Amino acid sequence: MSRITITKPDDWHIHLRDGAMLERTVNDVAAWANRAVVMPNLTPPVKTLEDALAYRDRIMSALKTDSGNSEFEALMTLYLTDATSPEIIEAAAASPFVCGVKLYPAGATTNSAAGVTGLEALKPTLAAMEACDLPLLVHGEVTDHDIDIFDREAVFIERTLAPLVDEFPKLRVVLEHITTKDSVDFVTSARNGVAATITPQHLLFDRNDMLVGGIRPHLFCLPILKRRLHKEALRAAAVSGNPKFFLGTDSAPHTVETKEAPCGCAGCYTAHAAMPFYAEVFEEEAALDKLEDFASHFGPDFYGKPRNTEYITLVKEEQLSPMSLSFGESTVTPLRAGETLAWRVETAG
Ligand code: DOR
Ligand code: ZN
């Protein structure tokens, strides 16, 4: 198959950043996705409905409506802190522009210092989310210093996520950017209302790709790439046709100088070529017929939103991925910079 037309996808997890970065991030995703769930980890974070609506305005102003992107919709999220009250949740849930609340364990990743230090005191807030049917989006890693970085996702499931899903049986939960077989198994056997997003980098690479023969900072993201058996479990989940697994790129730009540094930032930029990346994986798995469900059907079904009515066409035609992308004053090295990609988006509309 050298050409495939599918319902236009959505990105159920992305970092658009703010200010000068918005011009590229917003238009790169809007070129292939109709909707994107926008992460709230700005500095300062997006903590209230008011913050989310102001950020949404900045995003929509950056959209170039003359390039076929005019349908694009930013679905906003709030950043859960120890101070998020049930009232904040109720106000957000009443807005058509907010689709979830993001849980970052404090210190887990980029701009997570204001994250949650413990869930016990947040039970009334979680109960409000359950009552309002506002989904909880989870960065699933413990942050304890004595837990190895490669084990942090699995330990989070056992200590935090499994009890939470039981205690709030109607709360919809998305375990974001899963990286392990443990997460695939947990989500597969969890009750209805528990789902997961999967990124291109976790389907394409394992930790050997990042660390053997030299350290490759542009493959460093959180949760970190794991050993190959986990990548294989993620690939199997993505192509399985199980509606609990759907597309979320976690595209997260950091400038080249903050990635190529003694203490480099976590995040991979993929918004410019996400569909070529996913198409390559699905083709390798002989499952191109499952791409549309993963990219375009299961996400809106989970969030209770209509499926898109537009289409995109992907063609199997080699293209060179750029070495770097300009971002205002600086540049970002995207995932697989300078490599040849097998697929490209031909038309979107
Ligand atoms: O690698 C990551 N980068 N993981 C995250 O959870 C956050 C993201 C970012 O904002 O840069
Ligand atoms: Zn993210």
Side-chain angles (χ1 to χ4, degrees):
M1 205 183 317
S2 60
R3 176 181 299 267
I4 164 173
T5 297
I6 60 171
T7 302
K8 199 166 180 187
D10 303 296
D11 188 344
W12 298 94
H13 182 124
I14 194 168
H15 299 265
L16 296 179
R17 311 297 194 216
D18 209 348
M21 281 198 155
L22 285 177
E23 190 183 340
R24 180 178 282 281
T25 57
V26 173
N27 291 292
D28 277 356
V29 66
W32 58 270
N34 249 9
R35 293 169 288 203
V37 174
V38 182
M39 289 300 120
N41 61 333
L42 306 180
T43 26
V46 177
K47 290 192 273 199
T48 63
L49 173 61
E50 203 184 7
D51 297 341
L53 295 180
Y55 183 29
R56 181 177 179 277
D57 285 347
R58 299 196 294 281
I59 292 167
M60 297 313 279
S61 312
L63 190 65
K64 291 182 187 145
T65 48
D66 56 352
S67 50
N69 300 348
S70 55
E71 300 291 319
F72 181 75
E73 233 184 288
L75 304 174
M76 309 309 293
T77 59
L78 297 194
Y79 188 115
L80 188 67
T81 74
D82 290 342
T84 308
S85 63
E87 293 71 32
I88 290 176
I89 297 301
E90 281 152 19
S95 166
F97 300 121
V98 176
C99 75
V101 176
K102 181 69 189 279
L103 163 61
Y104 287 106
T109 186
T110 306
N111 291 344
S112 62
V116 166
T117 60
L119 284 175
E120 197 54 41
L122 280 171
K123 289 196 172 162
T125 303
L126 294 166
M129 291 175 61
E130 183 179 41
C132 300
D133 199 22
L134 190 60
L136 179 71
L137 317 182
V138 179
H139 183 109
E141 288 191 288
V142 294
T143 56
D144 314 48
H145 191 69
D146 61 332
I147 305 290
D148 189 274
I149 188 170
F150 292 101
D151 299 333
R152 288 179 170 200
E153 186 173 283
V155 173
F156 180 88
I157 292 173
E158 188 189 313
R159 283 192 193 164
T160 307
L161 193 59
L164 181 97
V165 159
D166 282 347
E167 188 168 352
F168 299 93
K170 295 223 159 62
L171 181 65
R172 277 186 296 154
V173 177
V174 185
L175 185 53
E176 302 288 350
H177 42 54
I178 57 170
T179 65
T180 55
K181 180 174 185 301
D182 310 69
S183 288
V184 170
D185 293 345
F186 173 77
V187 171
T188 302
S189 60
R191 63 162 169 81
N192 281 341
V194 177
T197 53
I198 310 181
T199 76
Q201 65 266 25
H202 292 106
L203 293 169
L204 285 164
F205 299 109
D206 59 39
R207 65 192 193 183
N208 275 12
D209 297 308
M210 180 174 58
L211 296 171
V212 174
I215 188 161
R216 292 182 191 77
H218 299 291
L219 289 183
F220 175 56
C221 65
L222 288 169
I224 198 162
L225 297 173
K226 307 295 192 297
R227 60 169 70 239
R228 182 187 297 178
L229 76 87
H230 295 292
K231 180 183 81 171
E232 284 167 359
L234 297 173
R235 283 181 166 234
V239 306
S240 66
N242 183 339
K244 288 177 156 179
F245 299 100
F246 48 84
L247 184 158
T249 62
D250 198 24
S251 180
H254 291 276
T255 59
V256 64
E257 53 287 350
T258 58
K259 293 280 295 173
E260 297 177 9
C263 183
C265 293
C268 301
Y269 190 73
T270 54
H272 67 303
M275 289 314 298
F277 294 147
Y278 284 115
E280 188 168 317
V281 170
F282 277 67
E283 186 184 30
E284 282 170 5
E285 297 297 317
L288 274 174
D289 60 323
K290 296 287 188 357
L291 182 61
E292 183 176 41
D293 280 340
F294 175 80
S296 316
H297 292 162
F298 295 158
D301 294 355
F302 178 85
Y303 276 91
K305 298 197 177 288
R307 294 176 177 182
N308 292 323
T309 52
E310 300 82 358
Y311 292 89
I312 65 168
T313 297
L314 293 154
V315 283
K316 193 163 183 207
E317 201 173 272
E318 291 190 348
Q319 60 162 338
L320 199 61
S321 178
M323 285 303 290
S324 77
L325 299 169
S326 71
F327 267 76
E329 305 276 273
S330 189
T331 61
V332 166
T333 302
L335 194 75
R336 296 180 76 193
E339 292 180 29
T340 301
L341 309 186
W343 291 82
R344 70 177 178 84
V345 175
E346 182 185 63
T347 52

